[in-house]
Amino acid sequence: MLPFAEWLPQQRWYAGRQRELVSAESVAITPLHDHDLEHRLLLVSYADGGSERYQLFIAWDQPPADEFTAVATIGAAGDRTGYDALFHEPAARHLLALVAEGARRGELRFTPEPGASLPVAAGSRVMDAEQTNTSVVYDRTALLKVFRRVQAGINPDLELNRVLARAGSPHVAKLLGAIDGVDPEGNPMSLAMVTEYAENAADGWAMATTSTRDLFAEADLRADEVGGDFSAESHRLGEAVASVHRTLAEELGSAPAAPPIETMTDRLAAAIEAVPALASRAGAARKVFEAAGTSRIRMQRIHGDLHLGQVLRTPEHWLLIDFEGEPGTPIAERRRPDSPLRDVAGVLRSFEYAAYQLLVGESVEEQLIYRAQEWIARNEAAFCDGYASVAGTDPREQKALLAAYELDKAVYEAAYEARHRPSWLWIPMRSIDRLLAVGFL
């Protein structure tokens, strides 16, 4: 029996580090290539009574390159040794070939998109940047993303990429194929997806923080005079986000519904436990939420977790990536329609983080705060202008609703920072007080 309980906690994508692991058992095993390659669904049980499901592709007695041996070696079972197959090039190529041929192995379905061409003979490498999934790049042409923690239902990353790609959207990496399965209860599960690889792409967060660094280095120049001015890209990003929203509404529809005010107030109540300073602001925050909940709005499918780290700039377009949402949240909740303003608010909050994060750990000088605010205002305006030029409506015109979504995001950020990065807490707290029209710092 493979020592999954010892190996899993060492993986960066494992989400149970703060819980006591009791057992990790195989609940489904599917051979994929003779006795050398298989897929396993694991049930991980915790001392608190909860459980999660993870998936692995296992290569038997096929070690990867030496540099990956430590991370990929699961352990011994009898006289055989199991390895994470994604790190073994022949095994990774075989998975792509199964997608290309539309294979079926047991309850696993490997499905290419119509007309897709997959580089089945290409070399492969595992990307090292991800935290919750594992992606394999094939010759800078295709990317296989394997969802490590799996739930019953259609993963929105696969679902929305498929919808957008088939509709011809230029703002997502084109979907090439998918791997699906069935859990022991007979429910469908999304296991992996293959997309085109976004070659020569720059990360939106890196671009934005480079711009703010340039701004702080030029004490005598305005934001529009600095060489690294980001506002033109912010405008184009706004256009891209609006285009994606429009396509999703056209393809999947929209309907009137009340804003999720109850969810916002519940999140505020939970956040107060982590950030006691929010208690004195709770009454004003509830008024902001209530002001946004007086009428029904158009609700549709959206990204749901959009920020500058979820966008890539290619030479041609801005791309939106990672439509998966929060992996620990039930899929049904992640697929729930919401206002496009949630995505807009996410980007606006990300502009504040891009400007202020360079000041973490520094004495907060008013001059630097002023420069940061200048950069934030310029890029927020550019983004909203770009969004309005495509959407036909300016998100700033829905002032109360946008403020509620921004505040909801900032409350979530405050709770996160209090738990994980206390030195960053002042960033969302400053934003909360701005949205509540009171002072901070």
Side-chain angles (χ1 to χ4, degrees):
M1 185 176 185
L2 285 169
F4 296 118
E6 290 76 31
W7 181 76
L8 280 171
Q10 309 306 315
Q11 308 311 304
R12 65 167 63 189
W13 41 261
Y14 175 66
R17 291 185 184 84
Q18 306 304 316
R19 308 167 76 179
E20 182 183 349
L21 190 156
V22 174
S23 64
E25 301 177 349
S26 300
V27 292
I29 303 174
T30 305
L32 301 178
H33 182 63
D34 298 328
H35 301 290
D36 299 329
L37 179 64
E38 67 185 26
H39 175 270
R40 289 206 187 195
L41 185 65
L42 305 180
L43 178 64
V44 176
S45 300
Y46 298 103
D48 59 16
S51 64
E52 295 176 319
R53 283 177 175 150
Y54 290 86
Q55 64 161 328
L56 291 174
F57 291 96
I58 299 175
W60 287 101
D61 300 325
Q62 301 177 73
D66 291 345
E67 62 185 299
F68 301 119
T69 299
V71 69
T73 303
I74 301 170
D79 59 353
R80 307 197 74 190
T81 301
Y83 300 91
D84 186 338
L86 301 181
F87 290 88
H88 186 252
E89 281 201 57
R93 284 198 299 269
H94 187 71
L95 293 177
L96 197 63
L98 290 173
V99 175
E101 70 183 62
R104 179 157 188 164
R105 298 290 186 270
E107 296 293 344
L108 270 60
R109 299 181 304 277
F110 299 80
T111 309
E113 283 292 288
S117 176
L118 292 102
V120 296
S124 67
R125 63 177 176 85
V126 173
M127 297 182 69
D128 60 3
E130 287 187 287
Q131 296 295 323
T132 57
N133 302 303
T134 300
S135 291
V136 182
V137 178
Y138 298 85
D139 267 2
R140 305 181 69 83
T141 301
L143 183 144
L144 170 69
K145 177 192 280 190
V146 175
F147 306 121
R148 291 296 196 167
R149 185 166 33 157
V150 293
Q151 299 179 22
I154 302 173
N155 191 300
D157 201 8
L158 171 59
E159 177 190 17
L160 298 186
N161 267 285
R162 176 175 283 142
V163 168
L164 290 163
R166 291 183 177 181
S169 172
H171 299 299
V172 293
K174 184 179 179 181
L175 186 70
L176 301 177
I179 305 175
D180 300 286
V182 177
D183 70 13
E185 291 77 37
N187 302 304
M189 295 186 304
S190 300
L191 302 177
M193 56 190 283
V194 185
T195 63
E196 290 183 342
Y197 179 70
E199 191 171 13
N200 297 323
D203 174 82
W205 174 256
M207 292 175 66
T209 53
T210 296
S211 174
T212 57
R213 190 174 292 109
D214 290 347
L215 175 67
F216 293 150
E218 298 286 353
D220 299 328
L221 298 179
R222 298 191 307 270
D224 61 331
E225 297 174 326
V226 175
D229 182 23
F230 190 64
S231 61
E233 290 299 340
S234 295
H235 189 282
R236 296 185 188 99
L237 178 58
E239 294 174 327
V241 173
S243 175
V244 166
H245 285 163
R246 182 174 61 189
T247 301
L248 289 175
E250 291 171 349
E251 298 297 318
L252 298 176
S254 64
I261 303 306
E262 184 177 350
T263 300
M264 294 180 181
T265 54
D266 288 347
R267 190 168 5 251
L268 173 63
I272 290 173
E273 296 183 13
V275 190
L278 286 175
S280 62
R281 298 159 170 87
R286 291 189 187 97
K287 290 181 180 179
V288 172
F289 295 147
E290 290 166 3
T294 57
S295 60
R296 293 165 72 83
I297 59 174
R298 300 299 296 182
M299 306 283 269
Q300 63 165 83
R301 296 298 299 278
I302 61 171
H303 184 285
D305 185 31
L306 192 60
H307 53 77
L308 290 169
Q310 305 281 44
V311 294
L312 297 175
R313 184 66 165 97
T314 71
E316 296 81 22
H317 305 287
W318 276 104
L319 302 181
L320 277 61
I321 62 173
D322 294 341
F323 288 78
E324 184 177 5
E326 171 53 51
T329 303
I331 281 183
E333 184 175 329
R334 289 186 262 156
R335 297 181 68 215
R336 188 175 299 153
D338 205 336
S339 169
L341 289 184
R342 182 173 294 282
D343 285 348
V344 172
V347 177
L348 299 185
R349 293 292 313 124
S350 199
F351 284 136
E352 293 209 4
Y353 262 80
Y356 289 139
Q357 61 91 28
L358 291 175
L359 306 181
V360 171
E362 303 289 336
S363 57
V364 184
E365 301 177 9
E366 284 304 316
Q367 176 62 19
L368 291 180
I369 290 291
Y370 175 81
R371 303 305 303 280
Q373 290 173 335
E374 180 190 17
W375 186 93
I376 293 164
R378 179 171 175 78
N379 285 280
E380 287 184 341
F383 176 84
C384 289
D385 287 345
Y387 190 96
S389 70
V390 172
T393 58
D394 192 325
R396 291 165 293 192
E397 295 174 355
Q398 302 179 70
K399 184 177 180 180
L401 187 59
L402 181 58
Y405 276 108
E406 282 194 78
L407 181 59
D408 183 45
K409 181 68 171 178
V411 165
Y412 168 85
E413 292 164 353
Y416 178 89
E417 303 299 6
R419 294 186 179 103
H420 303 287
R421 298 184 299 193
S423 64
W424 291 55
L425 178 59
W426 68 270
I427 297 178
M429 290 301 293
R430 185 181 184 92
S431 301
I432 289 168
D433 284 347
R434 172 182 59 80
L435 290 162
L436 300 179
V438 297
F440 187 77
L441 288 183

